[in-house]
PDB file of all heavy atoms in Angstrom:
ATOM      1  N   ILE A 135      83.816   3.508 -21.419  1.00  0.00           N
ATOM      2  CA  ILE A 135      83.724   2.157 -21.891  1.00  0.00           C
ATOM      3  C   ILE A 135      85.078   1.408 -21.728  1.00  0.00           C
ATOM      4  O   ILE A 135      85.122   0.290 -21.245  1.00  0.00           O
ATOM      5  CB  ILE A 135      83.254   2.130 -23.319  1.00  0.00           C
ATOM      6  CG1 ILE A 135      81.783   2.629 -23.426  1.00  0.00           C
ATOM      7  CG2 ILE A 135      83.334   0.701 -23.907  1.00  0.00           C
ATOM      8  CD1 ILE A 135      81.290   2.846 -24.843  1.00  0.00           C
ATOM      9  N   ALA A 136      86.135   2.093 -22.112  1.00  0.00           N
ATOM     10  CA  ALA A 136      87.483   1.476 -21.972  1.00  0.00           C
ATOM     11  C   ALA A 136      87.845   1.195 -20.555  1.00  0.00           C
ATOM     12  O   ALA A 136      88.363   0.115 -20.190  1.00  0.00           O
ATOM     13  CB  ALA A 136      88.511   2.427 -22.612  1.00  0.00           C
ATOM     14  N   GLY A 137      87.509   2.140 -19.658  1.00  0.00           N
ATOM     15  CA  GLY A 137      87.816   1.957 -18.239  1.00  0.00           C
ATOM     16  C   GLY A 137      87.032   0.787 -17.665  1.00  0.00           C
ATOM     17  O   GLY A 137      87.552  -0.011 -16.916  1.00  0.00           O
ATOM     18  N   ALA A 138      85.743   0.715 -18.005  1.00  0.00           N
ATOM     19  CA  ALA A 138      84.921  -0.364 -17.506  1.00  0.00           C
ATOM     20  C   ALA A 138      85.420  -1.738 -17.998  1.00  0.00           C
ATOM     21  O   ALA A 138      85.302  -2.738 -17.360  1.00  0.00           O
ATOM     22  CB  ALA A 138      83.485  -0.177 -17.970  1.00  0.00           C
ATOM     23  N   ALA A 139      86.051  -1.718 -19.196  1.00  0.00           N
ATOM     24  CA  ALA A 139      86.582  -2.964 -19.771  1.00  0.00           C
ATOM     25  C   ALA A 139      87.944  -3.323 -19.196  1.00  0.00           C
ATOM     26  O   ALA A 139      88.413  -4.468 -19.422  1.00  0.00           O
ATOM     27  CB  ALA A 139      86.682  -2.806 -21.268  1.00  0.00           C
ATOM     28  N   GLY A 140      88.578  -2.365 -18.481  1.00  0.00           N
ATOM     29  CA  GLY A 140      89.878  -2.720 -17.873  1.00  0.00           C
ATOM     30  C   GLY A 140      90.985  -1.734 -18.075  1.00  0.00           C
ATOM     31  O   GLY A 140      92.102  -1.903 -17.526  1.00  0.00           O
ATOM     32  N   ALA A 141      90.769  -0.666 -18.925  1.00  0.00           N
ATOM     33  CA  ALA A 141      91.860   0.306 -19.088  1.00  0.00           C
ATOM     34  C   ALA A 141      92.116   0.988 -17.715  1.00  0.00           C
ATOM     35  O   ALA A 141      91.169   1.173 -16.891  1.00  0.00           O
ATOM     36  CB  ALA A 141      91.447   1.357 -20.107  1.00  0.00           C
ATOM     37  N   ASP A 142      93.324   1.314 -17.446  1.00  0.00           N
ATOM     38  CA  ASP A 142      93.745   1.770 -16.084  1.00  0.00           C
ATOM     39  C   ASP A 142      94.000   3.229 -15.948  1.00  0.00           C
ATOM     40  O   ASP A 142      93.803   3.778 -14.893  1.00  0.00           O
ATOM     41  CB  ASP A 142      94.992   0.973 -15.732  1.00  0.00           C
ATOM     42  CG  ASP A 142      94.839  -0.473 -15.872  1.00  0.00           C
ATOM     43  OD1 ASP A 142      94.165  -1.114 -15.034  1.00  0.00           O
ATOM     44  OD2 ASP A 142      95.339  -1.071 -16.863  1.00  0.00           O
ATOM     45  N   LEU A 143      94.521   3.898 -17.025  1.00  0.00           N
ATOM     46  CA  LEU A 143      94.814   5.293 -16.974  1.00  0.00           C
ATOM     47  C   LEU A 143      94.247   5.944 -18.250  1.00  0.00           C
ATOM     48  O   LEU A 143      94.541   5.497 -19.350  1.00  0.00           O
ATOM     49  CB  LEU A 143      96.360   5.488 -16.965  1.00  0.00           C
ATOM     50  CG  LEU A 143      96.906   6.937 -16.964  1.00  0.00           C
ATOM     51  CD1 LEU A 143      96.367   7.693 -15.712  1.00  0.00           C
ATOM     52  CD2 LEU A 143      98.451   6.935 -16.967  1.00  0.00           C
ATOM     53  N   LEU A 144      93.413   6.978 -18.025  1.00  0.00           N
ATOM     54  CA  LEU A 144      92.734   7.663 -19.147  1.00  0.00           C
ATOM     55  C   LEU A 144      93.454   8.950 -19.431  1.00  0.00           C
ATOM     56  O   LEU A 144      93.546   9.772 -18.529  1.00  0.00           O
ATOM     57  CB  LEU A 144      91.282   7.933 -18.781  1.00  0.00           C
ATOM     58  CG  LEU A 144      90.436   6.756 -18.252  1.00  0.00           C
ATOM     59  CD1 LEU A 144      89.060   7.239 -17.877  1.00  0.00           C
ATOM     60  CD2 LEU A 144      90.380   5.632 -19.293  1.00  0.00           C
ATOM     61  N   CYS A 145      93.934   9.109 -20.636  1.00  0.00           N
ATOM     62  CA  CYS A 145      94.511  10.385 -21.018  1.00  0.00           C
ATOM     63  C   CYS A 145      93.410  11.294 -21.478  1.00  0.00           C
ATOM     64  O   CYS A 145      92.753  11.006 -22.516  1.00  0.00           O
ATOM     65  CB  CYS A 145      95.574  10.217 -22.108  1.00  0.00           C
ATOM     66  SG  CYS A 145      96.491  11.721 -22.456  1.00  0.00           S
ATOM     67  N   TYR A 146      93.203  12.393 -20.816  1.00  0.00           N
ATOM     68  CA  TYR A 146      92.082  13.281 -21.120  1.00  0.00           C
ATOM     69  C   TYR A 146      92.201  13.932 -22.471  1.00  0.00           C
ATOM     70  O   TYR A 146      93.288  13.968 -23.085  1.00  0.00           O
ATOM     71  CB  TYR A 146      91.920  14.299 -20.034  1.00  0.00           C
ATOM     72  CG  TYR A 146      92.716  15.612 -20.216  1.00  0.00           C
ATOM     73  CD1 TYR A 146      92.140  16.816 -19.823  1.00  0.00           C
ATOM     74  CD2 TYR A 146      93.965  15.619 -20.799  1.00  0.00           C
ATOM     75  CE1 TYR A 146      92.805  17.985 -19.967  1.00  0.00           C
ATOM     76  CE2 TYR A 146      94.620  16.814 -20.941  1.00  0.00           C
ATOM     77  CZ  TYR A 146      94.064  18.017 -20.559  1.00  0.00           C
ATOM     78  OH  TYR A 146      94.751  19.180 -20.701  1.00  0.00           O
ATOM     79  N   ILE A 147      91.085  14.430 -22.949  1.00  0.00           N
ATOM     80  CA  ILE A 147      91.028  15.212 -24.169  1.00  0.00           C
ATOM     81  C   ILE A 147      90.280  16.500 -23.838  1.00  0.00           C
ATOM     82  O   ILE A 147      89.309  16.501 -23.100  1.00  0.00           O
ATOM     83  CB  ILE A 147      90.348  14.467 -25.291  1.00  0.00           C
ATOM     84  CG1 ILE A 147      91.090  13.169 -25.636  1.00  0.00           C
ATOM     85  CG2 ILE A 147      90.142  15.316 -26.519  1.00  0.00           C
ATOM     86  CD1 ILE A 147      90.361  12.281 -26.638  1.00  0.00           C
ATOM     87  N   THR A 148      90.746  17.651 -24.406  1.00  0.00           N
ATOM     88  CA  THR A 148      90.070  18.898 -24.151  1.00  0.00           C
ATOM     89  C   THR A 148      89.193  19.308 -25.329  1.00  0.00           C
ATOM     90  O   THR A 148      89.266  18.734 -26.383  1.00  0.00           O
ATOM     91  CB  THR A 148      91.089  20.018 -23.916  1.00  0.00           C
ATOM     92  OG1 THR A 148      91.685  20.424 -25.124  1.00  0.00           O
ATOM     93  CG2 THR A 148      92.218  19.538 -22.963  1.00  0.00           C
ATOM     94  N   PRO A 149      88.340  20.362 -25.121  1.00  0.00           N
ATOM     95  CA  PRO A 149      87.589  20.837 -26.251  1.00  0.00           C
ATOM     96  C   PRO A 149      88.447  21.342 -27.426  1.00  0.00           C
ATOM     97  O   PRO A 149      87.961  21.486 -28.569  1.00  0.00           O
ATOM     98  CB  PRO A 149      86.788  22.016 -25.622  1.00  0.00           C
ATOM     99  CG  PRO A 149      86.713  21.728 -24.202  1.00  0.00           C
ATOM    100  CD  PRO A 149      88.023  21.066 -23.876  1.00  0.00           C
ATOM    101  N   ALA A 150      89.733  21.621 -27.129  1.00  0.00           N
ATOM    102  CA  ALA A 150      90.617  22.175 -28.167  1.00  0.00           C
ATOM    103  C   ALA A 150      91.293  21.077 -28.982  1.00  0.00           C
ATOM    104  O   ALA A 150      91.973  21.407 -29.993  1.00  0.00           O
ATOM    105  CB  ALA A 150      91.695  23.026 -27.533  1.00  0.00           C
ATOM    106  N   GLU A 151      91.070  19.792 -28.600  1.00  0.00           N
ATOM    107  CA  GLU A 151      91.709  18.704 -29.390  1.00  0.00           C
ATOM    108  C   GLU A 151      91.438  18.808 -30.858  1.00  0.00           C
ATOM    109  O   GLU A 151      90.287  19.055 -31.297  1.00  0.00           O
ATOM    110  CB  GLU A 151      91.179  17.369 -28.830  1.00  0.00           C
ATOM    111  CG  GLU A 151      91.888  16.165 -29.377  1.00  0.00           C
ATOM    112  CD  GLU A 151      93.257  15.887 -28.779  1.00  0.00           C
ATOM    113  OE1 GLU A 151      93.581  16.541 -27.766  1.00  0.00           O
ATOM    114  OE2 GLU A 151      93.970  15.068 -29.353  1.00  0.00           O
ATOM    115  N   HIS A 152      92.450  18.686 -31.646  1.00  0.00           N
ATOM    116  CA  HIS A 152      92.390  18.727 -33.129  1.00  0.00           C
ATOM    117  C   HIS A 152      92.259  20.141 -33.667  1.00  0.00           C
ATOM    118  O   HIS A 152      92.138  20.368 -34.861  1.00  0.00           O
ATOM    119  CB  HIS A 152      91.287  17.860 -33.721  1.00  0.00           C
ATOM    120  CG  HIS A 152      91.404  16.429 -33.413  1.00  0.00           C
ATOM    121  ND1 HIS A 152      90.485  15.770 -32.589  1.00  0.00           N
ATOM    122  CD2 HIS A 152      92.293  15.508 -33.781  1.00  0.00           C
ATOM    123  CE1 HIS A 152      90.851  14.486 -32.518  1.00  0.00           C
ATOM    124  NE2 HIS A 152      91.954  14.264 -33.174  1.00  0.00           N
ATOM    125  N   LEU A 153      92.208  21.172 -32.747  1.00  0.00           N
ATOM    126  CA  LEU A 153      91.973  22.479 -33.179  1.00  0.00           C
ATOM    127  C   LEU A 153      93.055  23.500 -32.714  1.00  0.00           C
ATOM    128  O   LEU A 153      93.385  24.466 -33.395  1.00  0.00           O
ATOM    129  CB  LEU A 153      90.619  23.016 -32.709  1.00  0.00           C
ATOM    130  CG  LEU A 153      89.404  22.228 -33.242  1.00  0.00           C
ATOM    131  CD1 LEU A 153      88.137  22.711 -32.509  1.00  0.00           C
ATOM    132  CD2 LEU A 153      89.229  22.421 -34.709  1.00  0.00           C
ATOM    133  N   GLY A 154      93.668  23.291 -31.550  1.00  0.00           N
ATOM    134  CA  GLY A 154      94.622  24.270 -31.069  1.00  0.00           C
ATOM    135  C   GLY A 154      95.056  23.906 -29.655  1.00  0.00           C
ATOM    136  O   GLY A 154      94.634  22.938 -29.011  1.00  0.00           O
ATOM    137  N   LEU A 155      95.945  24.759 -29.148  1.00  0.00           N
ATOM    138  CA  LEU A 155      96.450  24.600 -27.758  1.00  0.00           C
ATOM    139  C   LEU A 155      95.341  24.989 -26.800  1.00  0.00           C
ATOM    140  O   LEU A 155      94.769  26.042 -26.890  1.00  0.00           O
ATOM    141  CB  LEU A 155      97.655  25.532 -27.499  1.00  0.00           C
ATOM    142  CG  LEU A 155      98.443  25.283 -26.256  1.00  0.00           C
ATOM    143  CD1 LEU A 155      99.285  24.017 -26.365  1.00  0.00           C
ATOM    144  CD2 LEU A 155      99.378  26.479 -25.955  1.00  0.00           C
ATOM    145  N   PRO A 156      95.068  24.128 -25.808  1.00  0.00           N
ATOM    146  CA  PRO A 156      93.950  24.409 -24.856  1.00  0.00           C
ATOM    147  C   PRO A 156      94.309  25.536 -23.846  1.00  0.00           C
ATOM    148  O   PRO A 156      95.454  25.728 -23.450  1.00  0.00           O
ATOM    149  CB  PRO A 156      93.758  23.070 -24.149  1.00  0.00           C
ATOM    150  CG  PRO A 156      95.139  22.410 -24.181  1.00  0.00           C
ATOM    151  CD  PRO A 156      95.710  22.807 -25.523  1.00  0.00           C
ATOM    152  N   THR A 157      93.300  26.289 -23.509  1.00  0.00           N
ATOM    153  CA  THR A 157      93.363  27.280 -22.457  1.00  0.00           C
ATOM    154  C   THR A 157      93.267  26.582 -21.139  1.00  0.00           C
ATOM    155  O   THR A 157      92.835  25.428 -21.074  1.00  0.00           O
ATOM    156  CB  THR A 157      92.328  28.350 -22.604  1.00  0.00           C
ATOM    157  OG1 THR A 157      90.976  27.663 -22.370  1.00  0.00           O
ATOM    158  CG2 THR A 157      92.287  29.020 -23.908  1.00  0.00           C
ATOM    159  N   PRO A 158      93.629  27.227 -20.037  1.00  0.00           N
ATOM    160  CA  PRO A 158      93.374  26.640 -18.705  1.00  0.00           C
ATOM    161  C   PRO A 158      91.946  26.202 -18.520  1.00  0.00           C
ATOM    162  O   PRO A 158      91.680  25.128 -17.956  1.00  0.00           O
ATOM    163  CB  PRO A 158      93.799  27.723 -17.719  1.00  0.00           C
ATOM    164  CG  PRO A 158      94.862  28.477 -18.478  1.00  0.00           C
ATOM    165  CD  PRO A 158      94.388  28.498 -19.855  1.00  0.00           C
ATOM    166  N   ARG A 159      91.001  26.982 -18.951  1.00  0.00           N
ATOM    167  CA  ARG A 159      89.563  26.646 -18.800  1.00  0.00           C
ATOM    168  C   ARG A 159      89.247  25.407 -19.580  1.00  0.00           C
ATOM    169  O   ARG A 159      88.496  24.516 -19.128  1.00  0.00           O
ATOM    170  CB  ARG A 159      88.678  27.814 -19.261  1.00  0.00           C
ATOM    171  CG  ARG A 159      87.168  27.498 -19.229  1.00  0.00           C
ATOM    172  CD  ARG A 159      86.744  27.106 -17.869  1.00  0.00           C
ATOM    173  NE  ARG A 159      85.349  26.616 -17.840  1.00  0.00           N
ATOM    174  CZ  ARG A 159      84.858  25.804 -16.926  1.00  0.00           C
ATOM    175  NH1 ARG A 159      85.593  25.408 -15.926  1.00  0.00           N
ATOM    176  NH2 ARG A 159      83.593  25.380 -16.985  1.00  0.00           N
ATOM    177  N   GLN A 160      89.772  25.268 -20.794  1.00  0.00           N
ATOM    178  CA  GLN A 160      89.536  24.046 -21.606  1.00  0.00           C
ATOM    179  C   GLN A 160      90.191  22.834 -20.947  1.00  0.00           C
ATOM    180  O   GLN A 160      89.647  21.697 -21.028  1.00  0.00           O
ATOM    181  CB  GLN A 160      89.995  24.249 -23.035  1.00  0.00           C
ATOM    182  CG  GLN A 160      89.080  25.232 -23.773  1.00  0.00           C
ATOM    183  CD  GLN A 160      89.769  25.766 -25.044  1.00  0.00           C
ATOM    184  OE1 GLN A 160      90.986  25.728 -25.226  1.00  0.00           O
ATOM    185  NE2 GLN A 160      88.946  26.280 -25.916  1.00  0.00           N
ATOM    186  N   VAL A 161      91.351  23.042 -20.345  1.00  0.00           N
ATOM    187  CA  VAL A 161      91.973  21.910 -19.605  1.00  0.00           C
ATOM    188  C   VAL A 161      91.088  21.442 -18.468  1.00  0.00           C
ATOM    189  O   VAL A 161      90.835  20.219 -18.347  1.00  0.00           O
ATOM    190  CB  VAL A 161      93.342  22.358 -19.034  1.00  0.00           C
ATOM    191  CG1 VAL A 161      93.884  21.431 -17.968  1.00  0.00           C
ATOM    192  CG2 VAL A 161      94.332  22.510 -20.163  1.00  0.00           C
TER     193      VAL A 161
END
């Protein structure tokens, strides 16, 4: 939604967000 509205760069979020350091697979 943000990108469609005009945001230019999306900082990704992993399944580990708010819980711990992500593994390569989660990245």
Side-chain angles (χ1 to χ4, degrees):
I135 294 172
D142 307 284
L143 178 60
L144 310 176
C145 188
Y146 89 144
I147 298 173
T148 76
E151 186 77 13
H152 299 115
L153 298 172
L155 191 74
T157 64
R159 176 58 190 156
Q160 289 164 340
V161 165

